Amino acid sequence: MEIAFSQSFKRAFKKKIKNNAYLEKLFWEKVEKFVSNPFNGELKTHKLSGNLKDLWSFRVDYDIRVIFFFEGNNRAVFIDIGSHDEVY
C-alpha cells in the first residue's frame, strides 16, 4: 500500500503530533502496519458515515485517529489526524 499526505494532513500532523515524541513514534509504527495491511485488526480501520461517508479512519492510539481515503486499489491519502472529537 502506497500512502500520500495531503497539505491539510501535514499541517495537522505538525500542529498535533510532531512535538510529541511518543505520539510521533507510535504514528510511524502504525503507518508501517497500515502499509503492510490497511485492515490490520490493531488499527481498527473502519468506514465512516454521514458527512464523512467517503472516508475511512484508523487508530494511532486510544484517542488519536487518522482520516483517509483510498485512491485506486493500492494508494491511500491521509487527510487529517487528531483526537476523536477534532476529526469527526
Side-chain angles (χ1 to χ4, degrees):
M1 176 67 58
E2 178 184 326
I3 57 170
F5 305 106
S6 70
Q7 288 302 319
S8 61
F9 179 87
K10 291 176 185 177
R11 282 191 300 275
F13 183 85
K14 186 176 180 182
K15 181 178 172 185
K16 300 168 187 166
I17 307 297
K18 190 75 171 157
N19 295 324
N20 183 324
Y22 168 75
L23 280 179
E24 187 172 1
K25 179 179 182 286
L26 192 57
F27 169 78
W28 290 111
E29 288 172 1
K30 299 295 174 138
V31 166
E32 281 184 37
K33 291 178 192 229
F34 182 88
V35 167
S36 296
N37 176 8
F39 297 99
N40 180 316
E42 188 178 318
L43 299 173
K44 303 211 184 296
T45 304
H46 62 282
K47 187 148 178 53
L48 302 178
S49 59
N51 292 338
L52 303 174
K53 69 180 191 288
D54 297 327
L55 302 174
W56 294 74
S57 173
F58 73 84
R59 283 185 180 186
V60 173
D61 76 353
Y62 178 75
D63 193 42
I64 302 296
R65 305 291 195 276
V66 172
I67 307 298
F68 68 96
F69 63 90
F70 288 108
E71 195 173 71
N73 290 333
N74 202 32
R75 182 177 162 100
V77 180
F78 292 5
I79 61 170
D80 201 3
I81 188 169
S83 72
H84 182 276
D85 292 341
E86 291 169 337
V87 297
Y88 293 136

